[in-house]
Amino acid sequence: MESRVVGEREVKSALERLLSYLEPHWDFVNCHMVNYLTDNHWTHFVPEALRLETSTAKEINQIIEQQFWHSERDNLQFPAFANFLAECKRFRLEGCENAVLTSVEKLEQELSVAMETQLSIKEFMSAKKCHEVEQTAALVDKLVQSVSQPAQKASCCIVDAGDGKGYLSSRLALQYGHRVLGIDSNESNTENALTRNRKLQRAWNGLTERAELQSQGIIPPRRGKKAAQRETNSVSHSSMENYKTTARFITTDINLDDLVTQHFEQHSNGICLTGLHTCGNLATTCLQVFHAQNSCRILCNIGCCYHLLRERYSHQEFFGNKVVMEQQTEYGFPLSRYLQQKQLRLGRNARMLAAQSIERTLAAKELPNITLYYRALLELLVCRHAPQLKNELQVGKVRKFGSFSEYVQKCAKKLNAPWLAAVEEAELQALLKDHEQDRQYLELFYLIRMSFAPVLESVILLDRLLYLKELGYEHSYLIDLFDAVISPRHYAIVAIKQ
């Protein structure tokens, strides 16, 4: 039986339900943890039913342990928390009623191609990056196969947007034999990527042999200097020519055909535009480039850094990354006509929240660093001694302090703030004592607020999928590609021109 492709109507319906759920919570998801104490966030944003279940420190600890760390939704001791968290989970991508996600297995059926055996080559990258590169390279290879005749496999060129150190590009060129052009805005990145690729080429045959033995449960012998010397000329010349790089900032005006022709002699019959963790607007720019250029037959994009998106309807973007933001000429959200008609605004704090990982936090049972609590206390001092600076100080990371007093002194030095350095120790100790219990409430507030993170990410990703559906790309998909604990940004947008 032919599998059903998710359509425009289903994506709109899913978005409508998400927006309806978020409607009463927009101020909550856009609040800043810095203002937790000064603006009384607990009372203003936490639903009353939840507040009624948290009258003591013991109850807070039990809620964190039972409802967050162990997900005891059938526990009758805290029904309001159980219902709240269960509802939050229903509005994540994996909980959407119309099943807007497509599994890798279902995509294989759609494309009528089977995944090749993946080799786990851990050298030259972290375990996290290894997981991401293996999964993405296998998916991209599969997509290229789906639009190519066996004899023409090499004719489809891959362009890797935001190439960075060339992790994905090198794998696609060496393991799968594709021609890959890596594009990065930072010229030093492109140079480093080529250096890394040369080292990887020299070791490639040995690494693949080891990976194959490990996949069979055999422990390979240790690699020594002689083995490395034997591997020096192990990759063919053609494979070494498969990977090229260029440095430029990608905009919607970029001409991928010209770039590919400049770097590869053989004319390409098509382009696959991919990108592994393309930051901010680069992800949405890739979608627009895919649509604008006829030769771009395949799109496979995994985005990240939602806080760097340029929003069409959001104007209060304080503490933004000015260098990146000034380079961006296009809007990154919303992309779809549907959400543009609604003039939907997320806000920078909501986008920052969307980039956080509730899965990783729960898996590690990780409460926020004490710095978050100290920063909230610091804002109280700002309101007392320099009220004109409320919401204006950007403290950033503060390291190596053993107490609140040391934290304050480091902040005073970092900010060049004599008024802060002059605050007496007695006042600092009194402040700590007055808000001693607030630390536990802040930790619970942090977890409650983070529960909205995957819901907000769902809005961003469904907007991108809907953009493609509105343009008529029936074969466009949202794929859950990575393990969410290993790689928090684990969704891929895939599209194929027929």
Side-chain angles (χ1 to χ4, degrees):
M1 186 175 71
E2 187 176 345
S3 58
R4 183 182 64 85
V5 177
V6 176
E8 181 180 341
R9 186 174 63 180
E10 286 92 342
V11 181
K12 281 183 179 178
S13 178
L15 267 171
E16 195 62 50
R17 286 195 305 276
L18 291 180
L19 296 180
S20 178
Y21 172 66
L22 285 169
E23 182 59 34
H25 302 297
W26 283 117
D27 287 341
F28 189 176
V29 298
N30 267 299
C31 75
H32 203 298
M33 293 297 297
V34 163
N35 303 120
Y36 174 79
L37 295 173
T38 57
D39 295 356
N40 199 6
H41 283 354
W42 181 263
T43 301
H44 286 159
F45 296 124
V46 177
E48 183 181 11
L50 302 187
R51 285 187 276 120
L52 290 174
E53 291 184 349
T54 55
S55 56
T56 67
K58 181 181 178 181
E59 287 175 335
I60 291 175
N61 290 333
Q62 288 177 326
I63 288 167
I64 291 174
E65 186 70 27
Q66 295 174 15
Q67 297 300 318
F68 287 93
W69 298 164
H70 297 292
S71 302
E72 296 177 9
R73 300 289 183 262
D74 56 349
N75 189 303
L76 300 179
Q77 188 177 359
F78 304 105
F81 268 93
N83 291 336
F84 171 81
L85 294 173
E87 188 175 27
C88 254
K89 197 165 185 178
R90 281 199 298 273
F91 288 95
R92 300 179 190 180
L93 282 174
E94 60 268 26
C96 288
E97 291 178 8
N98 286 341
V100 291
L101 283 178
T102 302
S103 67
V104 174
E105 293 74 24
K106 184 178 177 183
L107 184 63
E108 282 182 25
Q109 296 174 2
E110 291 265 348
L111 303 178
S112 300
V113 293
M115 181 183 262
E116 292 184 13
T117 303
Q118 296 180 37
L119 294 177
S120 183
I121 299 174
K122 298 180 174 61
E123 286 79 0
F124 298 97
M125 67 183 94
S126 67
K128 173 181 178 290
K129 185 60 68 176
C130 177
H131 171 69
E132 295 164 350
V133 167
E134 285 176 5
Q135 299 297 323
T136 308
L139 176 58
V140 169
D141 177 66
K142 194 183 310 177
L143 291 167
V144 170
Q145 286 185 54
S146 73
V147 300
S148 306
Q149 297 297 324
Q152 297 177 327
K153 183 176 178 181
S155 66
C156 190
C157 183
I158 296 169
V159 173
D160 185 2
D163 188 34
K165 294 182 179 179
Y167 293 119
L168 177 61
S169 298
S170 294
R171 182 63 66 92
L172 286 166
L174 289 170
Q175 181 174 343
Y176 295 99
H178 294 296
R179 291 174 304 152
V180 187
L181 176 63
I183 306 178
D184 197 276
S185 61
N186 189 324
E187 190 168 355
S188 65
N189 277 352
T190 62
E191 292 171 359
N192 291 337
L194 289 175
T195 300
R196 177 187 175 277
N197 190 57
R198 284 191 289 270
K199 292 178 181 177
L200 186 59
Q201 287 170 345
R202 288 195 293 268
W204 184 252
N205 280 3
L207 293 175
T208 54
E209 287 172 7
R210 289 172 62 82
E212 286 169 359
L213 289 173
Q214 288 170 336
S215 69
Q216 298 167 23
I218 302 170
I219 300 175
R222 291 183 62 183
R223 294 174 70 244
K225 291 184 179 180
K226 291 184 178 180
Q229 291 171 357
R230 286 196 303 271
E231 292 162 5
T232 299
N233 299 314
S234 63
V235 179
S236 68
H237 179 73
S238 61
S239 294
M240 294 178 71
E241 292 297 312
N242 276 349
Y243 176 40
K244 306 288 182 66
T245 65
T246 185
R248 63 188 61 225
F249 189 84
I250 298 175
T251 68
T252 52
D253 296 325
I254 196 169
N255 190 316
L256 296 183
D257 255 339
D258 285 353
L259 283 175
V260 168
T261 302
Q262 289 170 22
H263 288 83
F264 295 102
E265 292 181 4
Q266 184 181 354
H267 181 69
S268 172
N269 290 328
I271 293 171
C272 168
L273 178 58
T274 189
L276 174 53
H277 289 155
T278 48
C279 286
N281 264 32
L282 179 55
T284 53
T285 299
C286 286
L287 270 66
Q288 293 166 312
V289 170
F290 167 76
H291 172 61
Q293 302 192 19
N294 292 332
S295 60
C296 225
R297 300 178 64 190
I298 303 167
L299 172 76
C300 181
N301 184 271
I302 301 102
C304 68
C305 303
Y306 303 133
H307 62 291
L308 295 179
L309 281 172
R310 186 180 179 208
E311 278 200 64
R312 188 179 295 270
Y313 305 110
S314 181
H315 305 294
Q316 295 180 343
E317 297 285 314
F318 67 98
F319 294 167
N321 293 56
K322 292 182 180 179
V323 174
V324 175
M325 295 304 242
E326 287 171 1
Q327 285 181 297
Q328 296 175 161
T329 57
E330 306 287 339
Y331 291 109
F333 183 89
L335 272 186
S336 66
R337 292 192 301 269
Y338 179 67
L339 291 189
Q340 286 183 29
Q341 288 167 1
K342 290 179 175 290
Q343 296 191 9
L344 184 67
R345 179 186 76 88
L346 293 176
R348 185 174 185 274
N349 287 340
R351 299 198 312 274
M352 289 283 286
L353 181 57
Q356 294 184 26
S357 172
I358 187 68
E359 294 91 351
R360 184 176 279 184
T361 296
L362 297 181
K365 299 181 180 179
E366 186 176 60
L367 290 172
N369 190 285
I370 196 170
T371 308
L372 197 64
Y373 170 57
Y374 283 174
R375 181 62 184 88
L377 288 174
L378 181 68
E379 197 69 6
L380 286 174
L381 292 174
V382 172
C383 292
R384 284 184 190 177
H385 298 278
Q388 74 279 7
L389 297 177
K390 185 178 187 290
N391 296 333
E392 294 296 324
L393 294 183
Q394 187 174 11
V395 175
K397 291 183 179 180
V398 180
R399 304 180 189 278
K400 295 182 180 179
F401 55 86
S403 66
F404 180 53
S405 299
E406 287 184 22
Y407 173 82
V408 170
Q409 289 305 313
K410 282 184 175 285
C411 290
K413 183 177 180 180
K414 185 175 183 180
L415 299 169
N416 191 22
W419 64 267
L420 184 56
V423 177
E424 295 182 357
E425 179 68 19
E427 182 178 353
L428 299 181
Q429 294 306 315
L431 192 66
L432 273 174
K433 186 175 181 181
D434 291 344
H435 295 280
E436 186 177 2
Q437 196 175 21
D438 284 319
R439 180 180 175 184
Q440 289 178 296
Y441 280 95
L442 179 146
E443 290 171 344
L444 180 55
F445 181 88
Y446 172 86
L447 292 174
I448 295 170
R449 184 170 176 269
M450 191 185 278
S451 299
F452 288 104
V455 183
L456 292 165
E457 183 180 30
S458 299
V459 174
I460 293 170
L461 293 173
L462 287 176
D463 172 59
R464 295 175 184 181
L465 181 61
L466 182 56
Y467 167 79
L468 294 169
K469 297 293 184 184
E470 288 174 341
L471 291 171
Y473 295 108
E474 179 185 354
H475 294 277
S476 51
Y477 313 87
L478 189 52
I479 312 289
D480 192 357
L481 188 58
F482 308 141
D483 183 304
V485 175
I486 298 174
S487 181
R489 304 281 70 80
H490 52 105
Y491 294 109
I493 296 282
V494 169
I496 303 169
K497 285 179 182 169
Q498 296 297 306

